Amino acid sequence: MSGRISFFAQVNRNFDKAAAFTGLGRDLLRQIKQCNCVYQVVFPLKRDDGSIEVIRAYRAEHSQHKLPTKGGIRYAPNVNEDEVKALSALMTYKCAVVDVPFGGAKGGIKINPWKYSEAELERVTRRYTVELIRKNFIGPGIDVPAPDFGSGAREMSWIADTYMMMSTGELDAMGCVTGKPVAQGGIRGRTEATGLGVFYGIREACSQPEDMKQIGLDPGMEGKRVVVQGLGNVGYHAARFIQDAGGVLVGFAEYEGAIYSYKGLDLEAVMNHRKETGSILDFPGAKNLPNSSDALELDCDILIPAALENQIHSENAPRIKAKVIAEAANGPVTSDASELLKERGVLVIPDNFLNAGGVIVSYFEWIKNLSHVRFGRMGRRFDQQAYQRLLKGVEQATNHSFSEAEYTELARGADELDLVRSGLEDTMVTAYHSIREIKLQKGEKADLRTAAFVDAITKVALCYQELGIFP
Ligand code: NAD
C-alpha cells in the first residue's frame, strides 16, 4: 500500500518510471536522483511564558546542477527529513520543467505555527536563518528560500532582515529569499502566483479539444464543476481565478470538514463565513460533510487538492469521480494511486508542472533584487507614448475618435504586475505544451507526470554532461 512508502521513495518511483524513457546511463541517473545534502538543526525556543522548547528544523538541497538552489520553508508539525528530501527533489524537477535556472531545495521547521505567538514565530524564524547562514545554506547565489505551507511574506521578511543584518555591504543580500512583502524587496503578483499558475495550467489542459473529448468533457473553463481541498494561499487563489473564468466551485474541504452545493459556492462568501464562525461548515445553502476527505470523492469535473501530500491513495482512488485531478499541492496523489487513476482514464495534471507558479515568480523577484530595478520602470512610459502616437494615427486615418476610457486602456504601458503575470502565463502555457508533446511522443505508457519527469531529467542530465563528468 502506497501509504507505507515514504514520500521521497514515491518521488523516486516516478523518477524511475520516467528514467526508463530517457536512455541515460545508470550513474548519471543515480546522481540526479540523490538528495545531495540535508542539514538538520536543533535549537531552543524561549516561549512567551518563559518555558523552553526544543525545535527541530531542516534544509535539504537536492541538486546543485544550477545555483542558487531554491525551495520553500514549511512550518508544520509533521515535517521530517524524508519530506524535505522529497520536496527538494520535486523542486529540482519543477524548476527544470518550467526552465527556471535553479537547483532544488526545501526547508522545514517542525512546529504547528498556529499554536505559537507572532513573537515566538519571529524568534524561531530568525534563529533558523542564523543556523542556515552558519552552514552556508542560504544566500542569493547559494540557496534561496520562499514561503510554503504554514509560512508567508511575514516570515520571509524576518529571514531577509536577519540575513541582511549579518551581511553588511552585500549588495545583493535582498535576493537571499523570495516571497517578501513588496515594500521589502518583494514583487507584485507573488502572493497569488502559485494559485494563478495552477489556474493557467488547468485552463491550458482544459482547452485541448482532443484531450477533453477523451475524458468526456467540453473544452474550456466555463461551467466546469470544481472541488478544492485546502483554502490556503494556493487553493484560495486558484479557486478565485477559476471562479472568475466561469468555473463553478461545488465543494470545499478544510481541516475542520467539507461543504458542497451543486449549484455552486461563492468563494468570498465562504471565506467571510469562515472568518466570522471559524469554520467553513454550516455555510447557508451548502451541505456539510463531516469527514473533510470525503470531499475528494464528490461528483465533479476537476478536483484540486491544494493542502498536503498523500491525500489520494490506492484506497480512495477507485472512488474518485473527478475527470481531472489538478495537483496544486506537492505530492497529493501517491504513485500507486496515479497508476489506478491512469487506468481509469483520469487526467492528472502533475505537481512538478502545475504548482510551479510560485517558483516562476520567485525567479522574477530574485532577478529584480539582483538588478535593483522594478520591472516596467524603464519602458512603461515610452511604450505608453508610442501607443498614444499610434492611436492618434488611427484616429486621423479612420476619422474615428477614441473615448477617454478607450485611450487609457489601449495606450497603457505594462507595469510590474502586468509583466509578472505575462511572464507567468507564458511560462505555464509553454511548459504545458512541452510536456504534452513528450507525452504524445512516448505513447500510451506515459502520462503527463512521466512526461514532465522525462523533460526534467533530460534537462538536468544535460547540465551534468556539459560539465564533462558524465558521458
Ligand atoms: P497554506 O498553509 O497557505 O494553506 C494550506 C491550507 O490547507 C490551509 O488552509 C489548511 O487549513 C488546509 N489544510 C491542511 N490540512 C488539510 C486537510 N487535511 N484537509 C483540508 N484542508 C487542509 O499552504 P499553501 O502555501 O497554500 O500550500 C499548500 C500546498 O501547496 C502544499 O503542498 C505546498 O507545498 C504547495 N505549494 C505551495 C506553494 C506556495 O507558493 N505557497 C508553491 C508550490 C507548492
Side-chain angles (χ1 to χ4, degrees):
M1 209 193 98
S2 64
R4 294 202 199 105
I5 298 171
S6 84
F7 188 10
F8 192 35
Q10 292 196 46
V11 173
N12 285 337
R13 263 191 178 187
N14 291 326
F15 178 99
D16 291 340
K17 229 185 281 171
F21 287 95
T22 63
L24 291 164
R26 206 184 52 170
D27 294 334
L28 176 50
L29 289 168
R30 216 167 41 199
Q31 170 62 53
I32 297 172
K33 191 167 137 179
Q34 301 293 326
C35 181
N36 289 358
C37 36
V38 187
Y39 174 38
Q40 182 188 162
V41 62
V42 170
F43 53 80
L45 162 72
K46 189 165 190 176
R47 302 228 34 190
D48 294 342
D49 65 5
S51 64
I52 304 290
E53 200 169 299
V54 173
I55 304 289
R56 189 175 294 271
Y58 303 86
R59 184 75 185 167
E61 291 175 356
H62 173 261
S63 175
Q64 285 98 347
H65 70 287
K66 292 206 182 217
L67 286 172
T69 53
K70 189 93 188 72
I73 304 175
R74 182 171 279 201
Y75 289 51
N78 51 345
V79 158
N80 58 59
E81 182 176 334
D82 182 80
E83 185 182 72
V84 289
K85 280 162 85 173
L87 292 166
S88 70
L90 280 177
M91 284 304 296
T92 295
Y93 308 130
K94 195 180 300 179
C95 290
V97 166
V98 294
D99 283 325
V100 163
F102 295 140
K106 201 77 176 193
I109 303 180
K110 194 174 169 55
I111 53 169
N112 181 345
W114 290 277
K115 293 197 170 151
Y116 292 80
S117 70
E118 187 168 359
E120 288 169 339
L121 288 172
E122 180 171 356
R123 287 200 286 282
V124 167
T125 306
R126 287 187 184 275
R127 176 65 187 255
Y128 176 70
T129 310
V130 171
E131 298 296 343
L132 294 183
I133 295 169
R134 274 150 54 124
K135 297 288 180 203
N136 242 356
F137 265 77
I138 186 170
I142 301 169
D143 186 352
V144 181
D148 191 71
F149 189 92
S151 65
R154 180 185 63 173
E155 286 72 16
M156 302 308 115
S157 75
W158 292 330
I159 292 173
D161 187 55
T162 310
Y163 184 86
M164 280 161 56
M165 281 197 296
M166 296 186 65
S167 58
T168 311
E170 191 182 322
L171 190 61
D172 294 330
M174 268 290 187
C176 73
V177 65
T178 59
K180 302 178 291 290
V182 174
Q184 281 170 281
I187 194 163
R188 285 162 189 81
R190 173 63 182 86
T191 309
E192 68 275 27
T194 307
L196 181 56
V198 166
F199 164 70
Y200 287 142
I202 296 174
R203 189 194 62 187
E204 209 50 34
C206 288
S207 60
Q208 311 307 312
E210 316 91 88
D211 300 353
M212 288 299 102
K213 197 171 165 200
Q214 267 187 13
I215 54 175
L217 291 177
D218 291 330
M221 287 305 298
E222 192 72 40
K224 292 273 183 306
R225 295 165 309 133
V226 182
V227 171
V228 182
Q229 181 199 39
L231 289 172
N233 175 284
V234 178
Y236 164 74
H237 289 290
R240 183 162 69 90
F241 289 109
I242 285 170
Q243 185 172 267
D244 290 350
V248 184
L249 302 167
V250 295
F252 294 128
E254 256 297 335
Y255 66 84
E256 68 267 20
I259 52 170
Y260 75 94
S261 160
Y262 288 122
K263 281 195 230 135
L265 297 156
D266 181 71
L267 177 65
E268 289 313 319
V270 172
M271 297 305 281
N272 286 335
H273 172 79
R274 192 172 193 228
K275 227 180 263 169
E276 282 160 21
T277 66
S279 167
I280 57 170
L281 294 173
D282 301 323
F283 180 71
K287 289 212 167 118
N288 289 339
L289 290 172
N291 284 328
S292 173
S293 58
D294 289 349
L296 301 170
E297 299 168 28
L298 285 170
D299 186 16
C300 64
D301 299 319
I302 304 171
L303 171 63
I304 307 180
L308 282 172
E309 56 266 20
N310 292 338
Q311 298 300 301
I312 300 165
H313 35 76
S314 50
E315 201 265 316
N316 63 1
R319 297 194 299 271
I320 301 285
K321 297 183 192 69
K323 301 199 170 81
V324 178
I325 297 181
E327 293 188 326
N330 282 311
V333 179
T334 66
S335 49
D336 283 351
S338 274
E339 283 301 315
L340 293 171
L341 293 165
K342 189 165 148 242
E343 279 164 24
R344 292 184 41 216
V346 177
L347 175 67
V348 177
I349 313 176
D351 51 2
N352 55 3
F353 154 72
L354 192 67
N355 66 32
V359 76
I360 294 166
V361 176
S362 275
Y363 169 47
F364 300 156
E365 179 177 333
W366 181 75
I367 294 172
K368 177 186 179 182
N369 293 152
L370 300 194
S371 62
H372 301 267
V373 64
R374 165 171 49 82
F375 287 101
R377 180 164 177 179
M378 305 295 282
R380 189 171 72 91
R381 196 155 295 266
F382 181 86
D383 288 344
Q384 190 175 319
Q385 287 164 355
Y387 298 148
Q388 280 168 353
R389 283 196 295 275
L390 203 66
L391 289 176
K392 285 217 170 79
V394 173
E395 280 184 333
Q396 279 163 10
T398 61
N399 246 349
H400 166 82
S401 290
F402 294 108
S403 70
E404 185 86 21
E406 284 172 327
Y407 235 90
T408 311
E409 181 52 29
L410 293 171
R412 207 166 67 84
D415 62 16
E416 184 170 84
L417 186 62
D418 295 320
L419 292 169
V420 162
R421 289 197 170 172
S422 159
L424 173 61
E425 183 173 7
D426 185 57
T427 308
M428 291 301 293
V429 170
T430 306
Y432 185 76
H433 287 283
S434 299
I435 60 172
R436 183 174 179 271
E437 197 53 42
I438 294 172
K439 176 181 177 290
L440 293 176
Q441 280 166 14
K442 302 297 174 195
E444 283 295 292
K445 281 194 183 149
D447 55 14
L448 271 181
R449 188 192 312 285
T450 301
F453 265 94
V454 168
D455 190 30
I457 294 169
T458 314
K459 286 172 179 166
V460 177
L462 195 62
C463 291
Y464 280 107
Q465 285 163 330
E466 280 173 353
L467 285 175
I469 300 173
F470 293 95

